[in-house]
């Protein structure tokens, strides 16, 4: 199995361009099957989750061509309206295909999705919304079977602003008759990116970015091209890297307006943050400061996907920090790996108390999930000595050329097969 070998202690300095967003490109790729023609997606990151999504597209009957960071999907012919279990279990985001296949075929079948083990992530909100829209939903022997018999335009009140449920409702409603309204919709920037893509294909959707989204159904879509937004979670990871290594890094291709909670945390830790258009410079010259209390929340709050990376920095900070995890109950699984590196972290259910230590030590650790793995890489960069990080396949699901980018900034990191 591949692993990273990291020798810590090098201040990171330099400039890198942010990749396209994992959490935006996956639903956009799924939505491409709703057009009986061809679409091209630019700035598509070269990550494992995209590779799995392309496998699913090809299984459904699409012709997919990739050239660099451009992916062209010809969905003229869809030969399957289901996704086999071996593909579904590889990726949590595969559930977004449920809405896309329903919109295109009028029926869909898939097993429950896989992905990182972050705790209960039920898709009951998706299925509840489908039923409110007149879709027949059956759950049997581990499979979900949906049929669009008599679509009912409706006002869907989400119990929680779920990103996946919001996206699935948008997809089904976009090619259906009548007007559907989502109340308490997720407000993430990736929802706006999906809305923009659907509208470029001919949909009539407005309100993304707010808590109310209105979808006026249309009959057909047409060909288009779309450039994916930047990955704000990857940007958060690279933003924290110079803070833990007392460095100076410029991130290009970012929209700071989508990172306000992350930038605020960086400033609270003592980092200097300068914005110049779509570039963000982060400078740190001394050990970071602690944060009294930070909570993960749905957007625009601090993202749960950046919490493990922040914990890595706080483990090295001056003082004691408290992190409250409001989204996933198992997001603190990485804490035990940080402790192996000398961190002083205690966890009680969804609250972590992080008592900063002056130095972390290199150790052999294992990535428990995608973002926890990124946090371990950051901790290793700031630690003294050599760290070996196992299960790096988690990081390859969401980060494009992670070790190459960090090496460009001066990190001593190698991937060993």
């Amino acid at each position: 199995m591949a692993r990273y070998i990291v020798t810590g202690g090098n201040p990171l300095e330099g400039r890198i361009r942010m990749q396209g967003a994992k959490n935006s490109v996956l639903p956009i790729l799924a939505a491409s099957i709703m057009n009986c023609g061809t679409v091209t997606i630019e700035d598509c990151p070269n990550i494992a989750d995209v590779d799995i999504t392309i496998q699913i597209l090809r299984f459904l009957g699409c012709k997919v061509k990739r050239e660099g960071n451009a992916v062209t999907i010809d969905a003229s012919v869809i030969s399957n309206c289901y996704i086999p279990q071996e593909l579904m279990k590889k990726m949590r985001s595969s559930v977004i295909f449920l809405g896309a296949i329903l919109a295109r075929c009028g029926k869909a079948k898939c097993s429950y999705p896989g992905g990182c083990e972050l705790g209960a992530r039920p898709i009951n909100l998706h299925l509840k919304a489908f039923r409110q829209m007149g879709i027949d939903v059956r759950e049997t022997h581990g499979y979900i079977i949906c049929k669009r018999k008599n679509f009912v335009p409706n006002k869907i009140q989400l119990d929680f602003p779920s990103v996946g449920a919001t996206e699935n409702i948008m997809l089904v409603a976009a090619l259906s008759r009548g007007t559907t309204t989502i109340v308490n919709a997720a407000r993430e920037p990736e929802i706006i990116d999906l809305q923009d893509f659907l509208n470029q294909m001919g949909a009539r959707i407005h309100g993304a970015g707010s808590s109310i989204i209105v979808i006026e159904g249309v009959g057909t879509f047409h060909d288009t091209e779309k450039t994916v937004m930047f990955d704000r979670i990857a940007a958060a990871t690279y933003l924290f890297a110079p803070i833990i290594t007392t460095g100076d890094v410029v991130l290009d291709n970012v929209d700071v307006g989508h990172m306000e909670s992350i930038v605020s945390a960086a400033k609270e830790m003592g980092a200097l943050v300068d914005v110049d258009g779509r570039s963000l410079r982060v400078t740190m010259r001394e050990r970071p400061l602690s944060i009294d209390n930070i909570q993960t929340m749905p957007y625009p709050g601090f993202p749960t996907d950046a919490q493990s990376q922040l914990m890595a920095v706080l483990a090295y900070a001056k003082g004691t920090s408290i992190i409250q995890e409001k989204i996933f109950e198992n997001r603190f699984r990485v804490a035990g790996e940080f402790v192996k590196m000398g961190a002083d972290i205690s966890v009680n259910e969804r609250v972590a108390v992080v008592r900063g230590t002056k130095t972390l030590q290199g150790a052999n650790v294992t990535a428990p999930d995608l973002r926890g793995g990124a946090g371990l890489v950051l901790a290793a960069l700031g630690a003294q000595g050599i760290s070996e990080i196992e299960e790096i396949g988690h990081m390859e699901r969401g980060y494009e050329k992670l070790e190459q980018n960090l090496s460009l900034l001066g990190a001593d990191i190698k991937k060993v097969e």
Side-chain angles (χ1 to χ4, degrees), residues 6-256:
V6 184
T7 302
N10 292 353
L12 298 196
E13 296 183 348
R15 188 175 206 129
I16 54 172
R17 183 183 185 276
M18 289 301 96
Q19 67 187 59
K22 166 187 178 289
N23 291 335
S24 179
V25 73
L26 301 182
I28 285 174
L29 288 172
S32 68
I33 71 169
M34 296 165 62
N35 173 48
C36 301
T38 301
V39 300
T40 298
I41 312 302
E42 301 280 356
D43 221 354
C44 184
N46 187 11
I47 56 177
D49 273 10
V50 167
D51 293 339
I52 296 167
T53 302
I54 289 174
Q55 290 178 42
I56 293 174
L57 289 169
R58 287 175 172 152
F59 178 84
L60 295 175
C62 300
K63 297 177 181 178
V64 184
K65 180 180 180 182
R66 178 160 199 160
E67 295 180 331
N69 285 97
V71 175
T72 300
I73 305 102
D74 180 353
S76 302
V77 176
I78 296 296
S79 53
N80 289 309
C81 296
Y82 73 97
I83 303 173
Q85 185 177 18
E86 58 266 25
L87 290 176
M88 284 293 295
K89 69 182 181 181
K90 292 181 179 180
M91 185 177 66
R92 174 70 189 181
S93 300
S94 55
V95 72
I96 197 64
F97 272 98
L98 196 58
I101 296 172
L102 260 174
R104 174 68 185 266
C105 304
K107 60 181 181 179
K109 177 182 177 181
C110 67
S111 63
Y112 285 90
C116 292
E117 296 178 6
L118 301 177
R121 293 194 285 177
I123 61 170
N124 59 300
L125 293 180
H126 306 234
L127 305 185
K128 178 181 177 181
F130 286 168
R131 291 186 174 104
Q132 289 179 272
M133 299 161 78
I135 295 167
D136 179 58
V137 179
R138 288 185 293 133
E139 300 173 71
T140 176
H141 303 296
Y143 279 86
I144 305 164
I145 302 172
C146 300
K147 292 183 180 180
R148 185 175 60 185
K149 294 183 176 180
N150 298 303
F151 183 81
V152 180
N154 209 336
K155 178 182 286 187
I156 310 297
Q157 173 81 45
L158 290 177
D159 300 326
F160 178 84
S162 161
V163 173
T166 299
E167 292 169 340
N168 257 329
I169 297 167
M170 290 170 65
L171 297 183
V172 175
L175 284 181
S176 301
R177 295 179 180 177
T179 299
T180 300
T181 302
I182 309 173
V183 179
N184 196 28
R187 298 166 59 188
E188 274 73 1
E190 293 81 8
I191 300 290
I192 301 175
D193 218 30
L194 177 60
Q195 172 185 274
D196 291 347
F197 174 62
L198 292 171
N199 286 346
Q200 284 177 220
M201 287 198 297
R204 290 198 292 266
I205 306 173
H206 64 272
S210 74
S211 59
I212 298 177
I213 299 176
V214 179
I215 307 107
E216 301 175 50
V218 299
T220 58
F221 281 165
H222 54 72
D223 298 355
T224 192
E225 296 182 1
K226 165 68 176 173
T227 299
V228 176
M229 68 172 282
F230 84 106
D231 195 314
R232 60 194 176 94
I233 304 303
T237 304
Y238 289 111
L239 180 153
F240 290 140
I243 298 178
I244 200 170
T245 64
T246 57
D248 186 349
V249 170
V250 177
L251 310 179
D252 292 321
N253 186 40
V254 300
D255 183 342
V256 178

Side-chain angles (χ1 to χ4, degrees), residues 276-317:
D276 183 8
R278 291 187 61 82
S279 295
L280 175 70
R281 181 180 181 182
V282 185
T283 307
M284 196 74 180
R285 294 307 182 200
E286 58 185 7
R287 186 178 164 198
L289 305 174
S290 61
I291 297 178
D292 289 341
N293 193 319
I294 192 162
Q295 302 179 22
T296 62
M297 300 288 287
Y299 188 86
F302 191 88
T304 182
D305 281 354
Q307 183 260 99
S308 296
Q309 301 91 307
L310 177 63
M311 180 180 281
V313 183
L314 295 178
Y316 175 65

Side-chain angles (χ1 to χ4, degrees), residues 343-364:
D344 184 353
I345 303 172
S346 57
V347 174
N348 184 6
E349 296 183 350
R350 294 199 179 196
V351 177
V353 178
V354 185
R355 301 173 184 86
T357 58
K358 191 172 183 179
T359 57
L360 298 176
Q361 300 294 327
N364 292 348

